[in-house]
Amino acid sequence: MVFSSSVAAFDAIAQTYDEDFGQNPIGSQMRHRVWEACLNVFKPGDSILELNAGTGIDALFLAEQGIHVHAVDSSPGMISKLQQKVNRPGLRGRISYQILENEQIADIHEKLFDGALSNFGGLNCVEDLSALAWSLSRLLHPGARLIACFLNRFCLLEIAAFARRGKFRSAFRRWGKGGFKANVGGRKVWVQYPSVRELCRRFWPYFELEALEGLGVVLPPAWASARAANNGGFLRLLSNLDRRIGRLRFLNSLGDHVLLQLRRT
């Protein structure tokens, strides 16, 4: 099971998620980077499994590219929002959905998938990533890719932002042993922040790391985007710089998120 009763928390934000985060300017910049990674490995006609799919923002984009998506999420509220979108013209039959926790994917009885996606930290709420890696490996073809966007353990800009205001406990909250209680929809959800090395260890031997990119190395965290949103030119400059720096060795593990491309062994 997940660290906390997160279903109620994500149900609470489902109705406004698209407006609050889906349209967040910095969140959107990061999401487009995830989409680029997806399109590098997923092709039209592929069938992929999307974990913690939320309201279906990513599923819709991939379906528009001719990719079939089976979207799962533990929140009935999130799946309800996704359900309202799947009958758009041209998408019929390309998106299926299921209310299911990430830890329960072994219950999926489908043919093997050509790949998998987990975006924006959904897997940070999974306690036993090794068990999930095993379950996921049984659902993917050998050689299939998993695109996984995790909340990073070491976010340089977040540390600096909180430390400048004297909030040192918040500055180093991601370093706490065993995780951190995050506020989601007014409820507490336990989130863990494993390092990149720890992530690779937990997914091995079922998956091996092929590529790593940092998201938000110089781009502020999404929660701090108000000032950047008022200056589109500056935001584009930061985004382009973040794209370059986020691919550099050592610097790629200093962002708000890390984007991993893992191959099913």
Side-chain angles (χ1 to χ4, degrees):
M1 299 296 288
V2 291
F3 275 135
S4 169
S5 181
S6 60
V7 174
F10 289 103
D11 273 346
I13 65 172
Q15 291 302 313
T16 59
Y17 178 85
D18 288 352
E19 293 76 21
D20 293 343
F21 187 72
Q23 297 177 15
N24 179 289
I26 289 181
S28 295
Q29 294 288 337
M30 293 183 182
R31 190 182 296 276
H32 279 84
R33 301 260 294 277
V34 176
W35 288 353
E36 289 176 13
C38 288
L39 295 184
N40 283 335
V41 295
F42 305 146
K43 307 302 179 187
D46 282 353
S47 177
I48 75 160
L49 172 65
E50 185 183 3
L51 308 178
N52 47 270
T55 63
I57 297 174
D58 299 318
L60 261 68
F61 170 78
L62 293 172
E64 289 168 351
Q65 316 309 311
I67 298 166
H68 297 264
V69 181
H70 184 63
V72 302
D73 198 283
S74 64
S75 163
M78 291 287 189
I79 290 295
S80 177
K81 293 289 288 185
L82 184 155
Q83 186 178 16
Q84 298 170 20
K85 304 173 183 178
V86 297
N87 290 324
R88 291 184 183 180
L91 299 185
R92 190 178 299 275
R94 290 186 187 166
I95 300 177
S96 55
Y97 49 87
Q98 189 174 1
I99 299 173
L100 199 68
E101 292 183 358
N102 287 335
E103 294 85 348
Q104 298 171 325
I105 59 173
D107 295 338
I108 297 175
H109 302 292
E110 302 280 343
K111 62 180 182 180
L112 292 181
F113 293 96
D114 301 306
L117 166 66
S118 172
N119 203 359
F120 285 130
L123 296 186
N124 289 83
C125 298
V126 173
E127 183 174 9
D128 191 344
L129 285 172
S130 296
L132 181 135
W134 180 87
S135 296
L136 185 57
S137 71
R138 297 303 186 266
L139 296 172
L140 300 184
H141 290 291
R145 270 68 175 186
L146 163 64
I147 302 296
C149 182
F150 284 89
L151 284 161
N152 191 23
R153 183 172 178 79
F154 190 93
C155 177
L156 185 61
L157 286 184
E158 182 178 89
I159 293 172
F162 280 123
R164 196 171 81 172
R165 289 182 280 172
K167 297 182 178 181
F168 296 103
R169 184 174 181 179
S170 295
F172 299 101
R173 60 183 179 171
R174 301 190 188 201
W175 294 13
K177 186 176 181 179
F180 172 79
K181 287 184 179 179
N183 186 344
V184 178
R187 295 168 173 82
K188 296 296 183 181
V189 175
W190 200 263
V191 182
Q192 64 172 336
Y193 298 92
S195 66
V196 172
R197 178 178 294 183
E198 180 67 11
L199 286 172
C200 293
R201 187 185 69 80
R202 295 191 192 185
F203 277 87
W204 179 260
Y206 313 110
F207 293 87
E208 61 181 6
L209 180 66
E210 282 193 331
L212 168 65
E213 183 175 350
L215 306 182
V217 180
V218 298
L219 201 62
W223 57 262
S225 66
R227 181 177 298 180
N230 293 327
N231 191 332
F234 182 59
L235 178 57
R236 286 190 294 272
L237 176 65
L238 282 182
S239 181
N240 290 333
L241 183 61
D242 194 71
R243 181 186 302 274
R244 296 183 181 185
I245 292 179
R247 293 171 178 169
L248 297 178
R249 191 176 181 183
F250 302 118
L251 295 178
N252 58 10
S253 58
L254 301 180
D256 185 40
H257 288 71
V258 286
L259 179 59
L260 277 62
Q261 178 179 308
L262 299 159
R263 185 181 70 85
R264 160 75 160 88
T265 55

